[in-house]
Amino acid sequence: MADAKMPYSLNSKAVAEATKSWLHKRGVTIEEIADLVMLLQKHYYPNLTMEECIHNVEMVLSKREVQNAVLTGIQLDVLAEEGKLFPQLQDMIENDEGLYGVDEILAFSIVNVYGSIGFTNYGYVDKLKPGVLERLNNKETGQIHTFLDDIVGAVAAAASSRIAHRKQAEREKNLGLPHAPEDTEEAAKKLTGSNAEKPE
Amino acid sequence: MADAKMPYSLNSKAVAEATKSWLHKRGVTIEEIADLVMLLQKHYYPNLTMEECIHNVEMVLSKREVQNAVLTGIQLDVLAEEGKLFPQLQDMIENDEGLYGVDEILAFSIVNVYGSIGFTNYGYVDKLKPGVLERLNNKETGQIHTFLDDIVGAVAAAASSRIAHRKQAEREKNLGLPHAPEDTEEAAKKLTGSNAEKPE
Amino acid sequence: MADAKMPYSLNSKAVAEATKSWLHKRGVTIEEIADLVMLLQKHYYPNLTMEECIHNVEMVLSKREVQNAVLTGIQLDVLAEEGKLFPQLQDMIENDEGLYGVDEILAFSIVNVYGSIGFTNYGYVDKLKPGVLERLNNKETGQIHTFLDDIVGAVAAAASSRIAHRKQAEREKNLGLPHAPEDTEEAAKKLTGSNAEKPE
Amino acid sequence: MADAKMPYSLNSKAVAEATKSWLHKRGVTIEEIADLVMLLQKHYYPNLTMEECIHNVEMVLSKREVQNAVLTGIQLDVLAEEGKLFPQLQDMIENDEGLYGVDEILAFSIVNVYGSIGFTNYGYVDKLKPGVLERLNNKETGQIHTFLDDIVGAVAAAASSRIAHRKQAEREKNLGLPHAPEDTEEAAKKLTGSNAEKPE
Ligand SMILES: [Mg+2]
Ligand SMILES: [Mg+2]
Ligand SMILES: [Mg+2]
Ligand SMILES: [Mg+2]
């Protein structure tokens, strides 16, 4: 029947689009995150372009774990703004309580996807709050970004890790060294004209 | 003035009490968590008593990081039951989506407080779902415990780690060995009649 | 001059090959790890083949973070076998001390690369010690595998997570759903005839 | 018989003393770590004294997980200095390879013991390398501190987290608020004259 409930099945495209859409609604652009990446990486790669930074942020945002953390964090920020949380949790999130560390925990699950080399970059931008992070930390706006500021810093740190991995691959290629491709590159290599990783 | 808003200040007692109260409201007793601890540890410590298991669960629940994770996880379960989450997040939490791993992430922040030796115990009970975990995983009840089941397993794993540390201290004491007290024990040692750690 | 020291530059192929070689020297085959993957996943994917399990183990082993953890862990096992560690560390690693958790920490860095959904699988096999893990835990052999047993379980858990992600992509494709490719798939999609991800 | 091998039993005092001794041998004093703590925390607690910072560093170093990470990390540094590691691992640790993240992983296991609120402080000092960290990062000395610099930053970050927890407890006490003691404080409270936590 028309109104029979469909059995649940994850819709990954809907999750990916909700992630981008909520970042946008909360006032964060991909370019602003890419600016943080540039800030973190330009010292190491003087030729790094904004296009590369943007592409790497988008690749980070394509990862399911990252989407889960972004949506969950923004959800908690939005509910805090609406005053709909348990009173004690409401108090802590609304006031960005220093001893409440769940925002850092979600941020870490983002950084981790590209490995531990991103830990330092995350901590650094989270402490210094450059660019978009300064705006997200402005407590005068009435908006609550207790989770989002950590999330944005984590996405930038993860994109930086992704760049570091890619640049090493390029360096070895340019040196004519034998290169051992990582998972992503391997997947790409196997591909011959089809538009998805071959059934394994 | 009477209606001036009090400046925010964390009320740790309110957070601790809300944690216990919400575990209770969601149908989980300290004794059930202690049963999991007993299951995990009785093989290693045949003389372990239920009183010890209960005490160790209570000590785990006294930790602020644990309270933060418990409250945040139960909050998301409750909101999912009320259908109040972003549609895509609602879908994933309501259906305990296998590729949504934020519940495991919160669980890990609990285990971690007592160190990495608890990782294995957490994974084990989370997979086998003994005792209370079987009930929390029953999808027929209309209740949603996507976060709570992982949280309960994590508290039991953390209490098991706490016991392992304490038993080592007892063993060394009984052997008459010189013993190097850890933080908790050290704090206790410094105390002479007062009811709090001395100002440091 | 001929004997001038070459400036250091990471040789990723040498690291990848050393990883495979050391697993082999320590008596662990890719097939044995794939057996653990099959054990963990066949219940969820009845049509899963050994070829898929092997391929996914190989992809996990192609990741740099995984190689770093594998090499570091095996190095510590080997040095413990040779009795070359600081006496107190030697004692703990030689005896697989329960309160020494660095082996679990390295294992977790492996699981994490494919996200938190692998935590449970790691804990489960680490506790039950099926197949190759039983042999690695045999303390009668004179060999020391304090790190390797956790590492092997973690590689199997990570490969299981990788499969779960891939199977979801296949499912959506088969249902004709719009699909949002993750990083790896995206990289593959961009490729048109070249054998590496395009310079970004 | 006199030369029968004693069955293994963890000697926690020996591990604790080896930790302090190796930090000292590698040229790091408790005071230097306390200086990092002061740098990180003086802005938040203007009355913080060096004695408090030193005490908190010592409490962090009394934790078993911290000792395990410190000893394992320094062991790898020392073996790298002696050129005794597998060639590929030797290369990466000797050159503090940016894509080798096991040092960050061990550091994180230290920070985690006092909760996620320390992540940011760790990343911050690891990036800026103030004080002792600058010296440890000097690559001209012939010494290798690939692990130690991260470890020292992590101990300072953990001590900062410990201080934040303690200061909250003091604040609530001074305000005459009802206070919910955490594990450590609870242990201390139970004590009445004995010099160890009562058998539980
Ligand atoms: Mg925050
Ligand atoms: Mg769950
Ligand atoms: Mg082990
Ligand atoms: Mg380092």
Side-chain angles (χ1 to χ4, degrees):
Chain A
M1 290 188 328
D3 59 352
K5 207 191 167 193
M6 285 278 289
Y8 165 76
S9 172
L10 176 63
N11 183 333
S12 71
K13 196 167 184 67
V15 173
E17 285 175 355
T19 304
K20 286 205 165 180
S21 162
W22 274 107
L23 278 174
H24 183 75
K25 278 188 224 171
R26 302 296 290 173
V28 174
T29 67
I30 304 294
E31 284 72 19
E32 285 173 314
I33 310 181
D35 283 338
L36 295 176
V37 177
M38 182 59 88
L39 178 79
L40 285 166
Q41 296 302 107
K42 69 185 168 197
H43 175 71
Y44 306 104
Y45 310 108
N47 298 325
L48 187 69
T49 67
M50 264 306 280
E51 285 69 38
E52 281 175 281
C53 293
I54 289 171
H55 172 70
N56 278 281
V57 170
E58 283 176 340
M59 285 298 99
V60 170
L61 290 173
S62 79
K63 295 285 273 189
R64 197 179 301 283
E65 287 81 13
V66 176
Q67 295 165 2
N68 292 336
V70 172
L71 283 178
T72 306
I74 292 181
Q75 175 73 83
L76 288 162
D77 280 347
V78 167
L79 287 161
E81 254 172 53
E82 298 172 345
K84 290 188 179 158
L85 301 175
F86 300 157
Q88 302 77 13
L89 190 62
Q90 177 71 34
D91 257 11
M92 291 195 287
I93 297 182
E94 191 177 315
N95 291 287
D96 205 357
E97 165 61 47
L99 296 176
Y100 179 79
V102 178
D103 41 351
E104 278 86 3
I105 289 165
L106 287 195
F108 245 71
S109 72
I110 292 173
V111 176
N112 256 328
V113 172
Y114 291 90
S116 57
I117 61 168
F119 292 176
T120 297
N121 281 329
Y122 162 67
Y124 181 70
V125 294
D126 195 58
K127 191 92 180 174
L128 289 191
K129 308 278 185 202
V132 58
L133 296 182
E134 187 183 0
R135 191 180 76 232
L136 293 177
N137 264 280
N138 181 346
K139 311 290 185 200
E140 315 292 298
T141 63
Q143 284 204 304
I144 293 174
H145 296 304
T146 294
F147 280 88
L148 188 56
D149 73 332
D150 293 277
I151 282 169
V152 165
V155 170
S160 299
S161 302
R162 193 182 188 277
I163 287 172
H165 282 262
R166 289 301 176 288
K167 291 292 180 186
Q168 174 66 20
E170 278 181 35
R171 190 182 301 131
E172 297 190 349
K173 207 175 135 191
N174 294 341
L175 290 168
L177 287 175
H179 172 66
E182 283 191 80
D183 189 348
T184 310
E185 301 160 81
E186 193 61 51
K189 214 198 260 181
K190 294 214 167 173
L191 201 80
T192 54
S194 99
N195 68 349
E197 192 178 358
K198 280 291 222 347
E200 297 160 5
Chain B
M1 287 189 332
D3 59 353
K5 206 190 167 195
M6 284 279 289
Y8 165 76
S9 172
L10 176 62
N11 182 334
S12 71
K13 194 165 184 68
V15 173
E17 285 175 356
T19 303
K20 286 206 164 181
S21 162
W22 273 107
L23 278 173
H24 183 75
K25 279 189 223 171
R26 302 296 290 173
V28 175
T29 67
I30 304 294
E31 285 73 20
E32 284 173 314
I33 310 180
D35 283 338
L36 295 176
V37 177
M38 182 58 87
L39 178 79
L40 285 167
Q41 296 303 106
K42 70 184 167 198
H43 177 70
Y44 306 104
Y45 311 107
N47 298 326
L48 187 70
T49 66
M50 265 305 282
E51 284 68 38
E52 280 175 282
C53 293
I54 289 171
H55 172 70
N56 278 280
V57 169
E58 283 176 341
M59 285 298 99
V60 170
L61 290 173
S62 79
K63 296 284 274 188
R64 199 178 301 283
E65 287 82 12
V66 176
Q67 296 165 1
N68 292 338
V70 172
L71 283 178
T72 306
I74 291 181
Q75 174 73 83
L76 287 162
D77 280 346
V78 167
L79 287 161
E81 253 172 54
E82 297 173 346
K84 288 187 180 160
L85 302 175
F86 301 158
Q88 303 77 13
L89 190 62
Q90 177 72 33
D91 258 10
M92 290 194 289
I93 297 182
E94 190 178 316
N95 292 284
D96 204 358
E97 165 61 47
L99 296 176
Y100 180 77
V102 178
D103 40 351
E104 279 85 3
I105 288 165
L106 287 195
F108 245 70
S109 73
I110 291 173
V111 177
N112 256 329
V113 171
Y114 291 89
S116 58
I117 63 168
F119 291 177
T120 297
N121 281 330
Y122 162 67
Y124 181 70
V125 295
D126 195 57
K127 191 90 179 176
L128 290 191
K129 308 282 184 198
V132 57
L133 297 182
E134 188 184 359
R135 191 180 75 233
L136 293 177
N137 264 279
N138 182 348
K139 311 291 184 198
E140 314 292 299
T141 63
Q143 284 204 305
I144 293 173
H145 296 305
T146 294
F147 280 89
L148 187 57
D149 72 332
D150 293 277
I151 282 169
V152 166
V155 170
S160 299
S161 302
R162 193 182 188 277
I163 288 172
H165 283 261
R166 289 302 177 289
K167 291 292 179 185
Q168 175 65 22
E170 279 182 34
R171 190 181 301 130
E172 296 189 349
K173 205 174 135 191
N174 293 341
L175 290 169
L177 289 175
H179 172 67
E182 284 192 78
D183 189 348
T184 310
E185 302 161 80
E186 193 61 50
K189 214 198 260 184
K190 295 213 167 175
L191 201 81
T192 54
S194 98
N195 68 347
E197 192 177 358
K198 282 291 221 350
E200 298 159 5
Chain C
M1 287 191 328
D3 58 353
K5 206 189 167 197
M6 285 277 290
Y8 166 76
S9 172
L10 176 62
N11 183 334
S12 71
K13 195 166 185 67
V15 173
E17 285 175 354
T19 303
K20 287 205 163 181
S21 162
W22 273 106
L23 278 173
H24 183 75
K25 276 189 226 173
R26 302 296 291 173
V28 174
T29 67
I30 305 293
E31 286 72 21
E32 285 174 313
I33 310 181
D35 282 338
L36 295 176
V37 178
M38 182 58 88
L39 178 80
L40 285 167
Q41 295 304 104
K42 70 184 168 198
H43 176 70
Y44 306 104
Y45 310 107
N47 298 325
L48 187 70
T49 66
M50 265 305 281
E51 285 68 38
E52 280 174 282
C53 293
I54 289 172
H55 172 70
N56 278 280
V57 170
E58 283 176 341
M59 285 298 99
V60 170
L61 291 173
S62 80
K63 296 284 274 188
R64 198 177 301 282
E65 286 82 12
V66 176
Q67 295 166 2
N68 292 339
V70 172
L71 282 178
T72 306
I74 291 180
Q75 175 72 83
L76 288 162
D77 280 347
V78 167
L79 288 161
E81 255 173 53
E82 297 172 346
K84 290 188 181 159
L85 301 175
F86 300 157
Q88 302 77 13
L89 189 61
Q90 177 72 32
D91 257 10
M92 292 196 287
I93 296 182
E94 191 178 315
N95 292 286
D96 205 358
E97 164 61 46
L99 297 176
Y100 179 78
V102 178
D103 40 351
E104 279 85 3
I105 288 164
L106 287 195
F108 245 70
S109 74
I110 291 173
V111 176
N112 256 329
V113 171
Y114 291 89
S116 57
I117 63 168
F119 291 176
T120 297
N121 281 330
Y122 162 67
Y124 181 70
V125 295
D126 195 57
K127 190 91 179 175
L128 290 191
K129 309 280 184 199
V132 58
L133 297 182
E134 188 184 358
R135 191 181 75 232
L136 293 177
N137 264 279
N138 182 346
K139 312 289 185 200
E140 314 292 299
T141 63
Q143 284 203 303
I144 292 173
H145 296 305
T146 293
F147 280 89
L148 187 56
D149 72 332
D150 292 277
I151 282 169
V152 166
V155 170
S160 299
S161 302
R162 193 181 188 277
I163 287 172
H165 282 262
R166 289 302 177 289
K167 290 293 178 184
Q168 174 65 21
E170 278 181 33
R171 190 182 299 131
E172 296 189 349
K173 207 174 136 193
N174 293 341
L175 290 169
L177 288 175
H179 173 66
E182 285 190 78
D183 188 348
T184 310
E185 302 161 79
E186 193 62 51
K189 216 198 259 181
K190 295 214 167 173
L191 201 80
T192 53
S194 100
N195 69 349
E197 192 178 358
K198 282 289 223 350
E200 298 160 4
Chain D
M1 289 189 329
D3 58 353
K5 207 191 168 194
M6 284 279 289
Y8 165 75
S9 172
L10 176 63
N11 183 333
S12 72
K13 195 166 184 68
V15 173
E17 285 175 356
T19 304
K20 286 207 164 179
S21 161
W22 274 106
L23 278 174
H24 182 75
K25 279 189 225 171
R26 302 296 290 173
V28 174
T29 66
I30 305 293
E31 284 72 21
E32 284 173 314
I33 310 181
D35 283 338
L36 295 176
V37 177
M38 182 59 88
L39 179 78
L40 285 167
Q41 296 303 105
K42 70 184 167 197
H43 176 70
Y44 306 104
Y45 310 108
N47 298 325
L48 187 70
T49 65
M50 264 306 280
E51 284 68 37
E52 280 175 281
C53 293
I54 289 172
H55 172 69
N56 278 280
V57 169
E58 283 176 341
M59 285 297 99
V60 170
L61 290 173
S62 80
K63 296 284 274 187
R64 198 178 302 282
E65 287 82 11
V66 176
Q67 295 165 2
N68 292 338
V70 172
L71 283 178
T72 306
I74 291 180
Q75 174 73 83
L76 288 162
D77 280 347
V78 167
L79 287 161
E81 254 172 53
E82 297 173 346
K84 289 188 179 160
L85 301 175
F86 300 157
Q88 302 78 14
L89 189 62
Q90 177 73 33
D91 257 10
M92 291 195 288
I93 296 181
E94 190 177 317
N95 292 285
D96 204 358
E97 165 60 48
L99 296 176
Y100 179 79
V102 178
D103 41 350
E104 278 85 3
I105 288 166
L106 287 195
F108 245 70
S109 73
I110 292 173
V111 177
N112 256 328
V113 172
Y114 292 89
S116 58
I117 61 168
F119 291 176
T120 297
N121 281 330
Y122 162 67
Y124 181 69
V125 295
D126 195 56
K127 192 91 179 176
L128 289 192
K129 308 279 184 200
V132 57
L133 297 181
E134 188 183 1
R135 191 180 76 231
L136 293 177
N137 263 280
N138 181 346
K139 311 290 185 199
E140 314 292 299
T141 62
Q143 284 205 304
I144 293 174
H145 297 303
T146 294
F147 280 88
L148 187 56
D149 72 333
D150 293 277
I151 282 170
V152 165
V155 170
S160 299
S161 303
R162 192 181 188 278
I163 288 172
H165 283 262
R166 289 301 177 288
K167 290 293 180 185
Q168 175 64 21
E170 278 181 33
R171 190 182 301 130
E172 297 189 350
K173 206 175 135 191
N174 293 341
L175 289 169
L177 287 176
H179 172 65
E182 284 192 78
D183 189 347
T184 310
E185 301 160 82
E186 193 62 51
K189 214 198 259 183
K190 294 214 167 173
L191 202 79
T192 54
S194 100
N195 69 348
E197 191 177 358
K198 280 293 222 345
E200 297 160 6

